[in-house]
Amino acid sequence: MIQLNNVTKSYHTERIETLALDAVTLSIADGEFVAIMGPSGCGKTTLLNLMGLLDTPDAGELLLDDQSIGGQSDRKLSRLRNRKIGFVFQSFHLVQDLNVVDNVEVPLLYRPGVSGRERRRLAREALDQVGLSSRIFHFPNQLSGGQQQRVAVARAIVGAPQILLADEPTGNLDSRMGDEIMDLLKQRHDAGSTVVMVTHDQRMADCADRTVRLFDGRQVQ
Ligand SMILES: Nc1ncnc2c1ncn2[C@@H]1O[C@H](COP(=O)(O)OP(=O)(O)OP(=O)(O)O)[C@@H](O)[C@H]1O
Ligand SMILES: [Mg+2]
């Protein structure tokens, strides 16, 4: 379970302070598929980053499987993240110096007991699922935006993570390819994973069990 209690997060830049999340309380059950919606700048990515242990709240509490995340060392958090969480970033965050199949293998490098051969097999399988078998030796800058997005999805699902966090995973795709990516997220959900997906697309949100709406850093009904 993912539980946020009164979570607040601000960003400080030279001139202004932005309250990105304002006392958000939210609970996502194991195996639930939740869509996050709301206008640009309302805090969706911030929320996902906190759930993905990529950032920490200023105030309030985040619990993962009934364990409070506050006060844990960076090392412990990254171990937890590597073990449990797959992340599709809004801006992909592919490693530019690695080709497609090596990018997809990255999450498996942290798994003990997965051989190089097994890593390659799983990565190719995930790339096959996103329709990129013919591009595995390309580098990210040789791919279109939609293809990079699909590599990011393959990398997020390759380790069959318990929690899958996806930030606009279909934002750069046409409707047919978007539907295929949605089918992959649904497959993860059917396999028992918790899926949290940010989307602007009501049709995509309709695939989820429930939609959480944010406005100006607050949850609205
Ligand atoms: N690193 C940062 N430094 C300063 N301000 C930030 C930073 N990241 C986000 N913000 C601000 O926090 C607010 C929430 O940003 P966030 O990225 O969570 O929005 P979002 O809902 O994901 O928007 P979008 O739909 O455009 O992706 C915005 O006002 C944004 O300008
Ligand atoms: Mg965002």
Side-chain angles (χ1 to χ4, degrees), residues 76-193:
K76 189 132 188 251
L77 290 184
S78 53
R79 190 137 26 99
L80 209 58
R81 186 165 60 231
N82 289 327
R83 235 188 28 235
K84 289 198 180 192
I85 301 173
F87 212 114
V88 183
F89 294 93
Q90 192 167 16
S91 46
F92 319 136
H93 284 302
L94 300 176
V95 184
Q96 296 299 320
D97 301 342
L98 294 182
N99 68 27
V100 163
V101 69
D102 287 338
N103 260 283
V104 175
E105 284 184 29
V106 165
L108 301 173
L109 296 173
Y110 304 99
R111 296 274 167 113
V114 181
S115 68
R117 176 188 277 246
E118 179 68 356
R119 267 204 310 274
R120 185 53 58 112
R121 188 186 70 74
L122 290 167
R124 293 186 84 127
E125 192 178 285
L127 284 163
D128 197 32
Q129 288 184 299
V130 299
L132 279 181
S133 293
S134 65
R135 292 286 185 279
I136 68 170
F137 297 121
H138 280 57
F139 285 84
N141 66 4
Q142 299 170 323
L143 300 176
S144 71
Q147 289 169 337
Q148 292 182 52
Q149 184 151 45
R150 287 185 278 149
V151 177
V153 171
R155 181 180 59 183
I157 62 173
V158 72
Q162 189 184 323
I163 298 173
L164 181 58
L165 305 174
D167 202 347
E168 291 273 4
T170 61
N172 293 276
L173 304 177
D174 62 42
S175 65
R176 188 183 62 84
M177 193 50 76
D179 288 347
E180 285 180 19
I181 295 301
M182 271 310 298
D183 284 342
L184 287 173
L185 299 190
K186 281 190 247 170
Q187 272 176 35
R188 290 306 321 146
H189 174 232
D190 290 342
S193 294

Side-chain angles (χ1 to χ4, degrees), residues 11 13 18 20 39-46 90 200:
Y11 295 105
T13 52
T18 306
S40 178
C42 71
K44 304 180 297 295
T45 296
T46 303
Q90 192 167 16
H200 282 111

Side-chain angles (χ1 to χ4, degrees), residues 9-13 16-21 36-49 55 90 167-168 198 200 214 217:
K9 178 76 193 176
S10 306
Y11 295 105
H12 304 268
T13 52
I16 48 166
E17 179 178 345
T18 306
L19 183 57
L21 290 178
I36 312 271
M37 296 189 87
S40 178
C42 71
K44 304 180 297 295
T45 296
T46 303
L47 180 65
L48 225 58
N49 285 344
D55 209 346
Q90 192 167 16
D167 202 347
E168 291 273 4
V198 171
H200 282 111
L214 292 181

